[in-house]
Amino acid sequence: MHVQNKKRFYLMVGLLIVVILLVGFSIYMIWSDISSSNAPVQTASNTTNTANADSSQGNRTDITASQAITNPTDLLVLVNKTTSLDENYQPSDLVWVDLPGVRETQLRKEAATALEDLFAAAELKNLSLYCCSGYRSYQTQEELYAENVKTYGQKEADLVSAKPGQSEHQTGLAMDVTAESVNFDLLESFGQTTEGEFIKNNAHLYGFIIRYPEDKTAITGYAYEPWHLRYVGKDVAAEIDKNNLTFEEYLKTS
Ligand SMILES: [Zn+2]
């Protein structure tokens, strides 16, 4: 090879190596960026946590097959990662909840009345509970979910929020509650606060269950959410509380 051509050849090889290294480095940076966005899921700020009300970090299995829910108005309707509410389903008896809250929110009438009783019982113990998020339409959930897909990517979004149709909030029977002691946030530590303890010990007396209990992720598909209350009526709530069941387990055995 001519000396001049040889030089050119080595220059080209050198350039090629530099390009390959740059491309490789870029891919690595993008990849690590995506991975690191997983981290703040549980300790996220106020706004993120609101979007994460149906957090599901525990379940890393994507369930694609989902069954259409045929009894959406049933007080014992099961909404989870394997079942889906129709996009047009909206309870016909929604009322604005007349309780202190982070924002105005709705519940089905029977659940709202029961929640008023629960909050009143807390007041008697000098505990102030606050509503955070009750009924959410399919469309609202769709927006929340899309927001999470944008922020975290599809795979991660599935770990931090429910797909539209699969959020219990669409039933109008679920309410996220919070307290000043956790800065009106939705945090796992709420479970250890006086308010959280009160909820744990008394919610069933008013017909509510903690829908995603601690250490039941394998059954519910969701991480521990001491703030997420689901109305099921007093009898069922008492049964679930007495036997330390999840809603899934109760429905299987009842
Ligand atoms: Zn919730």
Side-chain angles (χ1 to χ4, degrees):
M1 208 185 278
H2 193 272
V3 180
Q4 203 60 28
N5 284 346
K6 217 171 180 176
K7 264 188 182 169
R8 199 173 293 162
F9 173 75
Y10 285 127
L11 193 69
M12 291 303 283
V13 170
L15 269 172
L16 198 67
I17 290 170
V18 168
V19 168
I20 288 168
L21 283 174
L22 273 173
V23 169
F25 183 68
S26 305
I27 290 170
Y28 170 76
M29 286 305 283
I30 291 166
W31 178 81
S32 64
D33 213 39
I34 291 167
S35 301
S36 67
S37 71
N38 305 349
V41 164
Q42 193 66 342
T43 52
S45 66
N46 225 337
T47 36
T48 323
N49 263 307
T50 307
N52 291 352
D54 288 307
S55 91
S56 57
Q57 298 92 313
N59 188 356
R60 295 201 163 247
T61 320
D62 278 350
I63 296 166
T64 40
S66 124
Q67 220 177 329
I69 290 168
T70 52
N71 60 337
T73 60
D74 193 330
L75 283 185
L76 300 183
V77 61
L78 176 69
V79 183
N80 62 18
K81 286 168 189 279
T82 64
T83 60
S84 287
L85 288 160
D86 189 88
E87 64 179 301
N88 296 315
Y89 177 66
Q90 178 178 347
S92 58
D93 54 353
L94 287 173
V95 294
W96 290 101
V97 180
D98 189 19
L99 288 168
V102 175
R103 63 180 70 81
E104 293 288 309
T105 189
Q106 292 174 294
L107 276 183
R108 286 183 62 186
K109 195 167 188 344
E110 185 174 337
T113 306
L115 194 70
E116 284 168 18
D117 293 343
L118 174 66
F119 274 42
E123 275 299 331
L124 288 176
K125 305 247 176 200
N126 287 321
L127 298 174
S128 298
L129 294 169
Y130 294 84
C131 296
C132 188
S133 188
Y135 168 73
R136 285 205 291 265
S137 69
Y138 184 100
Q139 288 69 28
T140 302
Q141 190 65 32
E142 200 166 36
E143 283 164 23
L144 279 178
Y145 181 72
E147 211 172 279
N148 279 320
V149 169
K150 216 164 122 188
T151 312
Y152 302 113
Q154 168 87 52
K155 207 172 170 191
E156 284 311 307
D158 284 336
L159 302 175
V160 301
S161 64
K163 284 192 171 77
Q166 298 187 346
S167 169
E168 224 183 27
H169 287 275
Q170 198 188 333
T171 65
L173 296 169
M175 176 66 82
D176 297 327
V177 296
T178 185
E180 195 175 355
S181 53
V182 285
N183 202 24
F184 307 105
D185 215 332
L186 300 177
L187 301 173
E188 228 182 83
S189 57
F190 175 67
Q192 278 99 56
T193 63
T194 328
E195 294 87 356
E197 290 284 347
F198 175 84
I199 290 283
K200 208 182 291 173
N201 298 325
N202 296 279
H204 68 279
L205 300 173
Y206 302 89
F208 289 94
I209 57 166
I210 293 174
R211 179 68 176 85
Y212 310 115
E214 209 167 2
D215 304 324
K216 298 277 192 174
T217 303
I219 301 165
T220 64
Y222 287 92
Y224 178 38
E225 292 194 2
W227 61 83
H228 181 108
L229 295 178
R230 160 69 193 269
Y231 184 74
V232 290
K234 285 179 188 174
D235 292 345
V236 175
E239 185 81 9
I240 286 175
D241 179 73
K242 193 176 90 187
N243 299 307
N244 194 28
L245 300 171
T246 58
F247 192 43
E248 275 85 0
E249 289 168 309
Y250 169 79
L251 290 176
K252 252 184 205 158
T253 55
S254 65

